[in-house]
Amino acid sequence: DIQMTQSPSTLSASVGDRVTITCRASQSISSWLAWYQQKPGKAPNLLIYKASSLESGVPSRFSGSGSGTEFTLTISSLQPDDFATYYCQQCDSSSPLTFGGGTKVEIK
Amino acid sequence: QVQLQESGPGLVKPSETLSLTCTVSGGSISRNYLNWIRQPAGKGLEWIGRIYSSGSTNYNPSLKSRVTMSVDTSKNQFSLKLSSVTAADTAVYYCARGPSYSDSSGGLFNWFDPWGQGTLVTVSS
């Protein structure tokens, strides 16, 4: 299986901060990575697919980059609605689809 | 827009079979990958498996021996059965459509959108 490792596991930030979350894959997945946002009691919501493609309706302050084994999710200016847990997911079906352990973005 | 809704018993006894159905509205499930994902309380996400609208399946090897998925295109529904459940199977279970891309080498790439709201299944006697 392809293991996905996210860092940090928890991040404390203030409104207006630039926030970066990292996701590392145990082997190359090219650009086949997705990012999700999950709020308490809710299902995850797709933010980005294919590493950097913004899902329709997702604010442009979210961006994704990377390829191979290292990827980042950046929130350019953190908004109150962005405090949530974020997950990465490797999309290569040659292996079981797997998620990172999550990054909780908390209010500082 | 496409919406998914899980349904099924919220309480299952140990050693019995967990059965859930996902009903899709706002669009046809034809020519779609349809997935089940679960999340134990306070923990991360685990992909259980997927079924294509034609009926072909792929299961997570960690659960493969206990999982069966089926699809009913006439009802726009797909289903999950997980046998011989234990307390470790207690989780919120999500269904999700799986947008996909196939490359020229035969590679298949899946992500999940949209998701159902999730249903909590507790395994307890």
Side-chain angles (χ1 to χ4, degrees):
Chain A
D1 297 7
I2 300 174
Q3 308 302 319
M4 306 302 294
T5 304
Q6 280 184 242
S7 60
S9 55
T10 306
L11 185 160
S12 296
S14 302
V15 172
D17 284 353
R18 181 181 181 88
V19 166
T20 299
I21 298 168
T22 298
C23 179
R24 289 186 173 87
S26 60
Q27 64 189 69
S28 177
I29 54 172
S30 185
S31 296
W32 295 107
L33 186 95
W35 288 99
Y36 303 86
Q37 177 193 68
Q38 185 178 35
K39 296 182 179 179
K42 300 293 187 183
N45 182 52
L46 177 68
L47 298 175
I48 287 168
Y49 61 97
K50 207 178 176 188
S52 60
S53 295
L54 195 67
E55 174 68 358
S56 176
V58 174
S60 59
R61 63 181 180 273
F62 291 93
S63 64
S65 64
S67 66
T69 61
E70 188 150 341
F71 303 86
T72 58
L73 173 70
T74 300
I75 309 172
S76 60
S77 177
L78 197 66
Q79 298 302 301
D81 191 47
D82 301 339
F83 291 97
T85 300
Y86 294 84
Y87 292 95
C88 62
Q89 176 233 329
Q90 74 84 11
C91 303
D92 186 351
S93 292
S94 66
S95 188
L97 302 175
T98 48
F99 294 86
T103 296
K104 185 176 182 179
V105 177
E106 298 180 327
I107 300 173
K108 191 172 185 179
Chain B
Q1 74 277 23
V2 174
Q3 293 184 313
L4 294 85
Q5 177 70 58
E6 306 87 352
S7 59
L11 181 64
V12 181
K13 290 182 167 57
S15 79
E16 295 190 345
T17 296
L18 177 160
S19 296
L20 295 174
T21 295
C22 182
T23 301
V24 180
S25 59
S28 171
I29 63 172
S30 296
R31 292 184 302 279
N32 273 283
Y33 288 95
L34 308 159
N35 297 265
W36 289 97
I37 298 148
R38 69 181 183 178
Q39 185 174 36
K43 296 190 177 180
L45 298 158
E46 180 180 32
W47 177 70
I48 300 170
R50 69 167 174 248
I51 185 166
Y52 191 64
S53 49
S54 64
S56 64
T57 56
N58 296 97
Y59 302 143
N60 192 323
S62 67
L63 297 166
K64 187 175 183 177
S65 64
R66 299 194 291 130
V67 172
T68 304
M69 295 182 185
S70 59
V71 62
D72 186 337
T73 53
S74 68
K75 294 182 179 178
N76 235 30
Q77 293 177 334
F78 60 106
S79 298
L80 167 70
K81 291 188 186 299
L82 182 65
S83 64
S84 305
V85 297
T86 69
D89 295 309
T90 294
V92 174
Y93 285 75
Y94 296 101
C95 58
R97 189 180 65 172
S100 63
Y101 176 83
S102 296
D103 67 12
S104 57
S105 307
L108 177 65
F109 307 94
N110 269 142
W111 50 99
F112 308 115
D113 180 62
W115 298 55
Q117 65 183 28
T119 188
L120 174 62
V121 179
T122 301
V123 178
S124 175
S125 55

